[in-house]
Amino acid sequence: MADYEDFDYNKPMSFSIWKKMFPFILPERKNLIKCAILMVSVAVIDIIFPLLLGYAIRHNVQPQTADGIWIIIGLTVFLVTAQAFNVNSFVSIGIRAEVGMCRGMRNAIFNHLQTLSLSYYNKTPVGYLMARTNSDTGRIGDLVAWGLIDFTWSAFYCAGAIVAMFLVHWKLALIVCVTIPVLAVITWFFQSHILSVNRIMRKLNSKMTGAMNEGITGARTVKVLVSEEQSLSEYSSITSDYRVHANRMARLRAVFIPSTLFIGSLATAAILSYGGWEIIVLGADLAVLAIFIQYAGGFFWPIQNIARIYTDFVSTQANVERVSGLLEQNPGITDTPEVVEKYGDVFSPKKENWEPITGDVEFCDVTFRYPDGHENVLEHFNLHVSAGTYVAIVGETGAGKSTLVNLVCRFFEPTQGKILIDGRDYRERSQLWLHSAFGYVLQSPHLFSGAIRENIRYGRLDAADEEIEKAAKIVHADRIIEKLEKGYDTEVGEGGDRLSTGEKQLISFARAVLADPRIFILDEATSSVDTEMEMLLQDAIHTLLEGRTSFVIAHRLSTIRNADIILVVDDGKIIERGTHNELMVMRKHYYELYTKQFEAEAEEMILKEKPSR
């Protein structure tokens, strides 16, 4: 996570960076324009109020008469009502604009994530993707909508107030304007330092979130290893750093706010001094002094607002670049335009053009290296798997057994050579066409939040309840489902955490069965169930694999003795191939793996059968 989040962002304001957000901002332009017009109206009314007060002092207070008072009261009521309408309208429209932009960005990110290849997810933390989809888009939408609103009001109020002051009394207006550069310099100085500290605090906040997430999700491991003190110490170190910078932020704000108030007070004092002198000595109008006190008291907040919005836009450019960077992320595996034209893409498939798959797979002089690797995993590899062939892939943990499966599934593509499906290079057809022919059961099964029935239905969304129950029965998942209180309507929880690993495995197996694939991929699919259930699953597997091409990554070698061909993987390379009997006769790597595992299983059985004293 640190590689993605811990960097210093110090770029100046850049239109080219913000231009990347135009596809999401422009659809909300009508709402944004409405907000801008409403804020101009708010600014105009705010400028009128001091003038109205001055008029009332000049025509009613000083002459001590009530003539025309009802007109002033009526106009005041009208302006207050109009202002209330403006505020209600811009809040409502501003929220719609913010939500609309966030929705557009989040939909675009989620859709783009569906097109990225497996290699991207292998190297990108989930927390990073979640932060881009939720936090960054939320910050951008919030700033564009409300930043525009605040800036429009601030800019028009400043311009209008300056014009009004010069029209009323140019000398007093100059006194106010003299303080503007001083206020601008102070505001700029403090805002830049506040921005710098805020960047550090955001990075520390990301670290706190990550540490908290690890502490919660890894609570069991922490307790087993009795490492509560270390976990607390690491978290406390981050929160201590955050507190140091939060205190620094508080000190900056504690100096900044009184400083601006002091400048404003100086301006007010200067106005009172000079204006009071004119009233006493020259007999000037008291209404003028009242107008300028009103303007001086409210003039400095808009200036601070403009500076704050500018620094926010500079700061948020980091969020814009992260979001646009994710949207511009190039999928590692893509279909050619010709393939998309004929077969469609993942969102608009042209299934009428999809040829049926029989399941013949052939590796033709395949050399493969992982995108971030430095050595070839396969070199000039050739293998022909006829339709209906049962291929087992074995090897020690970390040997690279999944490489062949990932290539067959086109999660990765050959660096050189080609892979044929039914005699054609699979790059000549769409990825969705290929993936629709696969049934993939992972070693670590994932279930979606919802009922068991709906999780099985993911194998084929149009499946009837009877078909779902039949698929579950084939793999004996019905035995565990029927024991549950709500049966197939039982909620599995987030990621299936209400079920055991073995139960999740059975349900994911039923899901693959329902899809009725031509090619089965079983990634150590029985390693998470007990021996009794594994025997039941093996019976189901033999039935399911009949007539289908299958690639089985085996954990227990005793379960793949009937495979048509066994590939032995070591250090990412195929070192042996043959049937079980052929490999045992060779008495090489497979023979050693098998005999060691057989001896270990035999010892385990003896220990289980040995009576306790």
Side-chain angles (χ1 to χ4, degrees), residues 12 76 85 94 173 216 227 306 314 324 338 381 393 410 417 449 474 480-481 497 512 514 523 547 549 559 610:
T76 302
F85 171 80
I216 294 173
S227 58
I306 291 172
V314 173
S324 60
E338 295 77 16
F381 176 72
I393 306 171
R410 204 184 168 192
S449 297
I474 290 174
I480 60 116
I481 295 173
D497 58 4
L514 183 65
D523 188 352
T549 306
T559 63
K610 186 176 180 179

Coordinates of all heavy atoms in Angstrom, one line a residue, residues 12 76 85 94 173 216 227 306 314 324 338 381 393 410 417 449 474 480-481 497 512 514 523 547 549 559 610:
P12 N 2.0 22.4 -9.0 CA 1.2 23.6 -8.9 C -0.2 23.4 -9.6 O -0.4 22.3 -10.2 CB 2.0 24.6 -9.8 CG 2.8 23.8 -10.7 CD 3.1 22.5 -9.9
T76 N -37.1 44.2 2.7 CA -36.2 43.4 3.6 C -36.8 42.0 3.6 O -36.1 41.0 3.5 CB -36.1 43.9 5.0 OG1 -35.5 45.2 4.9 CG2 -35.2 43.0 5.8
F85 N -34.8 31.1 -0.5 CA -35.0 30.3 -1.7 C -33.7 29.9 -2.4 O -33.5 28.8 -2.8 CB -35.9 31.1 -2.6 CG -36.1 30.4 -4.0 CD1 -36.9 29.3 -4.2 CD2 -35.3 30.9 -5.1 CE1 -37.0 28.7 -5.4 CE2 -35.4 30.3 -6.3 CZ -36.3 29.2 -6.5
G94 N -26.7 21.6 -5.6 CA -25.3 21.2 -5.4 C -25.1 19.8 -5.0 O -24.2 19.1 -5.4
A173 N -13.3 53.5 1.0 CA -13.1 52.3 0.2 C -11.6 52.0 0.0 O -11.1 50.8 0.0 CB -13.7 52.4 -1.2
I216 N -8.0 -5.9 12.8 CA -9.3 -6.5 12.9 C -9.3 -7.9 12.2 O -9.7 -8.9 12.7 CB -10.4 -5.6 12.4 CG1 -10.5 -4.4 13.3 CG2 -11.7 -6.3 12.3 CD1 -11.4 -3.3 12.8
S227 N 0.7 -11.4 20.2 CA 1.5 -10.2 19.7 C 0.6 -9.0 19.9 O 0.8 -8.0 19.1 CB 1.9 -10.4 18.3 OG 0.8 -10.6 17.4
I306 N -11.5 32.2 -1.1 CA -10.9 32.0 -2.4 C -9.5 31.3 -2.3 O -9.2 30.4 -3.0 CB -10.7 33.4 -3.1 CG1 -12.1 33.9 -3.5 CG2 -9.9 33.3 -4.4 CD1 -12.1 35.3 -4.0
V314 N -5.5 22.5 -5.6 CA -4.1 22.0 -5.8 C -3.9 20.7 -5.1 O -3.4 19.8 -5.6 CB -3.1 23.1 -5.2 CG1 -1.7 22.5 -5.3 CG2 -3.2 24.4 -6.1
S324 N -7.7 9.2 -12.4 CA -7.4 9.1 -13.8 C -6.4 8.0 -14.1 O -6.5 7.3 -15.2 CB -7.0 10.5 -14.4 OG -5.8 10.9 -13.7
E338 N -10.9 -6.4 -34.3 CA -11.6 -7.4 -35.1 C -12.3 -8.4 -34.3 O -13.5 -8.8 -34.7 CB -10.6 -8.1 -36.1 CG -9.9 -7.2 -37.1 CD -8.8 -6.3 -36.5 OE1 -8.3 -6.7 -35.3 OE2 -8.3 -5.4 -37.1
F381 N 7.6 -24.9 -24.9 CA 6.8 -25.9 -24.3 C 5.7 -26.4 -25.3 O 5.0 -25.5 -25.9 CB 6.1 -25.4 -23.0 CG 5.2 -26.4 -22.4 CD1 5.7 -27.6 -21.8 CD2 3.8 -26.2 -22.4 CE1 4.8 -28.5 -21.2 CE2 3.0 -27.1 -21.8 CZ 3.5 -28.3 -21.2
I393 N -1.8 -31.7 -12.6 CA -0.6 -30.9 -12.5 C -0.2 -31.0 -11.0 O -0.9 -30.7 -10.1 CB -0.9 -29.5 -12.9 CG1 -1.4 -29.4 -14.3 CG2 0.4 -28.6 -12.8 CD1 -1.9 -28.0 -14.7
R410 N -6.2 -17.9 -20.2 CA -5.9 -16.6 -20.8 C -5.9 -15.5 -19.8 O -6.2 -14.4 -20.1 CB -6.8 -16.3 -22.0 CG -6.1 -15.3 -23.0 CD -7.1 -14.9 -24.1 NE -6.5 -13.8 -24.8 CZ -7.2 -13.1 -25.7 NH1 -8.5 -13.4 -26.0 NH2 -6.7 -12.1 -26.3
G417 N 5.1 -18.0 -29.0 CA 4.3 -19.2 -29.3 C 2.8 -18.9 -29.2 O 2.4 -17.7 -29.1
S449 N -21.9 -12.1 -0.8 CA -23.0 -11.9 0.2 C -24.3 -12.3 -0.4 O -24.7 -11.9 -1.5 CB -22.9 -10.5 0.7 OG -21.7 -10.2 1.3
I474 N -25.3 -33.3 -6.9 CA -24.2 -34.0 -7.6 C -22.9 -34.0 -6.8 O -22.2 -35.0 -6.8 CB -24.0 -33.4 -9.0 CG1 -25.2 -33.7 -9.9 CG2 -22.7 -34.0 -9.7 CD1 -25.2 -33.1 -11.2
I480 N -24.9 -30.8 3.4 CA -24.6 -29.8 4.4 C -25.7 -28.7 4.4 O -26.0 -28.0 5.4 CB -23.2 -29.2 4.2 CG1 -23.1 -28.6 2.9 CG2 -22.2 -30.2 4.5 CD1 -22.8 -27.1 2.9
I481 N -26.3 -28.5 3.2 CA -27.3 -27.4 3.0 C -28.6 -27.8 3.8 O -29.2 -26.9 4.4 CB -27.6 -27.1 1.5 CG1 -26.3 -26.6 0.8 CG2 -28.8 -26.2 1.4 CD1 -26.5 -26.4 -0.7
D497 N -18.3 -16.0 5.3 CA -17.6 -16.2 6.6 C -18.5 -17.0 7.6 O -18.0 -17.3 8.6 CB -17.1 -14.9 7.1 CG -18.2 -13.9 7.3 OD1 -19.3 -14.2 7.1 OD2 -17.8 -12.8 7.7
A512 N -19.8 -24.3 -10.1 CA -19.1 -24.7 -11.4 C -19.9 -25.8 -12.1 O -20.0 -25.8 -13.3 CB -17.7 -25.2 -11.0
L514 N -23.1 -26.2 -12.2 CA -24.3 -25.6 -12.8 C -24.0 -25.0 -14.1 O -24.8 -24.9 -15.0 CB -24.9 -24.6 -11.8 CG -26.2 -23.9 -12.3 CD1 -27.3 -24.9 -12.3 CD2 -26.6 -22.8 -11.3
D523 N -8.4 -26.2 -8.8 CA -7.2 -25.8 -8.2 C -7.2 -26.3 -6.7 O -7.6 -25.6 -5.8 CB -7.1 -24.3 -8.2 CG -5.7 -23.8 -7.8 OD1 -5.0 -24.6 -7.3 OD2 -5.5 -22.6 -7.9
G547 N -15.9 -36.9 -20.3 CA -16.2 -36.2 -21.6 C -15.8 -34.8 -21.6 O -16.0 -34.1 -22.6
T549 N -12.7 -31.8 -21.0 CA -11.3 -31.5 -20.7 C -11.1 -31.0 -19.3 O -11.9 -30.1 -18.9 CB -10.7 -30.5 -21.7 OG1 -11.1 -31.0 -23.1 CG2 -9.2 -30.3 -21.6
T559 N -5.3 -39.0 -5.4 CA -6.6 -38.7 -6.0 C -6.4 -38.5 -7.5 O -7.5 -38.4 -8.2 CB -7.2 -37.4 -5.5 OG1 -6.3 -36.3 -5.8 CG2 -7.3 -37.5 -4.0
K610 N -4.7 -45.8 16.3 CA -4.0 -46.3 17.6 C -4.9 -45.9 18.8 O -5.3 -44.7 18.9 CB -2.7 -45.6 17.7 CG -1.9 -46.1 18.9 CD -0.5 -45.4 19.0 CE 0.3 -45.9 20.2 NZ 1.7 -45.3 20.2

